[in-house]
Amino acid sequence: MSDALANGPAPAISVRELCFSWPKGEQVLKSCSLEVPKGEFWMLLGTNGSGKSTLLRLLAGLLQPNSGEIRVEGQMGFVFQNPDHQLVMPTVGADVAFGLVEEKLSFGQVKTRVREALAAVNLEMLERRPIYALSGGQKQRVAIAGAIARHCEVLLLDEPTALLDPDSQLDLVAQVRSLVKSRAITALWVTHRLDELNYCDGAFLLEQGELADKGDPERLKGRLLAL
Ligand SMILES: Nc1ncnc2c1ncn2[C@@H]1O[C@H](COP(=O)(O)OP(=O)(O)O)[C@@H](O)[C@H]1O
Ligand SMILES: [Mg+2]
């Protein structure tokens, strides 16, 4: 355990000396180690191609590492950069319910979970709305509601604001912060936008596949602005 975390909460996400290369490609992640304490909201920063999405996919088990250890405690939810790659059903309510098909729930339990999850992201009025009629920010909130309905304890978000305008961007990050805090969810949010750093408890900086820095968001922001 790192010194910074020695007296804090146990990590919900823990990565040790993680290495990953694409077949026949160069090494994308070079011995990365990081920990996200339970219930905290951390961000992962880095320029395009630095390996952020690869790291998130490894955490989600969508890719296998070449070496190293990954431990994620609890039910995991994943939010992709482009919600059109994630939302599969015709309406808001049906999409959130779709994520529950593997759980043995009654019709009434599914309804309750869907309503609670939509209320958590302020979309309860849009349960019957077709997905195509939503804004980008609303689609991202439906994707997040899907994870909340499954009672996720760890939420991984890969540049969820990349396709949003600046107002919706900061609305989304503020809403996700208050949501994960009120539910003690551990979140790792990938971004390259420095103004989002104001909302996190801590941040990691990835540079060409190496974890170049981690810790206090204000300090990291200063470092990045000085580049
Ligand atoms: N499916 C893939 N096959 C081969 N190389 C890939 C694939 N996806 C990403 N890469 C490469 O891996 C590196 C890291 O990419 P990525 O993790 O997507 O970076 P980031 O999310 O930080 O922009 C880049 O050099 C990228 O070209
Ligand atoms: Mg990416």
Side-chain angles (χ1 to χ4, degrees):
M1 184 178 281
S2 72
D3 290 339
L5 294 171
N7 301 313
I13 300 173
S14 152
V15 171
R16 285 269 159 275
E17 294 171 18
L18 186 66
C19 294
F20 179 82
S21 310
W22 294 102
K24 296 186 191 152
E26 62 182 285
Q27 196 172 1
V28 178
L29 294 176
K30 300 163 188 161
S31 198
C32 291
S33 298
L34 60 86
E35 287 172 344
V36 182
K38 254 184 200 147
E40 295 199 356
F41 183 21
W42 280 59
M43 291 189 178
L44 174 61
L45 287 118
T47 52
N48 265 346
S50 56
K52 305 181 298 296
S53 294
T54 305
L55 177 54
L56 226 58
R57 287 184 149 82
L58 283 157
L59 288 175
L62 301 171
L63 292 171
Q64 284 299 312
N66 298 106
S67 61
E69 275 176 42
I70 298 171
R71 204 163 47 77
V72 178
E73 281 192 13
Q75 172 82 18
M76 188 196 306
F78 199 103
V79 175
F80 290 88
Q81 182 167 334
N82 185 344
D84 290 334
H85 296 162
Q86 176 155 26
L87 305 180
V88 292
M89 297 298 279
T91 65
V92 168
D95 196 87
V96 176
F98 181 73
L100 298 170
V101 285
E102 306 244 305
E103 304 195 24
K104 294 188 172 57
L105 299 173
S106 69
F107 180 76
Q109 285 170 320
V110 170
K111 270 256 161 263
T112 305
R113 290 260 200 122
V114 169
R115 295 226 163 112
E116 276 173 8
L118 289 176
V121 295
N122 296 336
L123 286 182
E124 62 271 57
M125 304 304 286
L126 300 189
E127 188 175 341
R128 290 163 188 271
R129 174 88 43 106
I131 296 288
Y132 68 76
L134 300 178
S135 69
Q138 287 169 335
K139 285 183 186 173
Q140 282 301 28
R141 280 149 60 198
V142 175
I144 293 162
I148 298 295
R150 283 184 287 107
H151 290 173
C152 81
E153 295 156 88
V154 173
L155 188 56
L156 307 176
L157 308 104
D158 193 358
E159 299 207 43
T161 56
L163 306 177
L164 306 186
D165 59 65
D167 283 347
S168 321
Q169 171 209 351
L170 293 184
D171 281 352
L172 188 72
V173 64
Q175 187 170 36
V176 168
R177 179 177 172 91
S178 84
L179 181 64
V180 298
K181 287 291 167 188
S182 66
R183 293 175 181 243
I185 294 171
T186 308
L188 183 58
W189 168 293
V190 172
T191 187
H192 60 261
R193 292 175 157 183
L194 292 187
D195 45 358
E196 293 178 8
L197 274 170
N198 297 332
Y199 295 84
C200 68
D201 298 314
F204 304 105
L205 175 63
L206 202 55
E207 279 180 1
Q208 295 172 349
E210 286 184 58
L211 213 56
D213 207 343
K214 54 182 142 186
D216 179 50
E218 278 307 312
R219 190 179 58 74
L220 276 180
K221 198 164 47 163
R223 173 180 171 158
L224 290 166
L225 284 171
L227 285 179

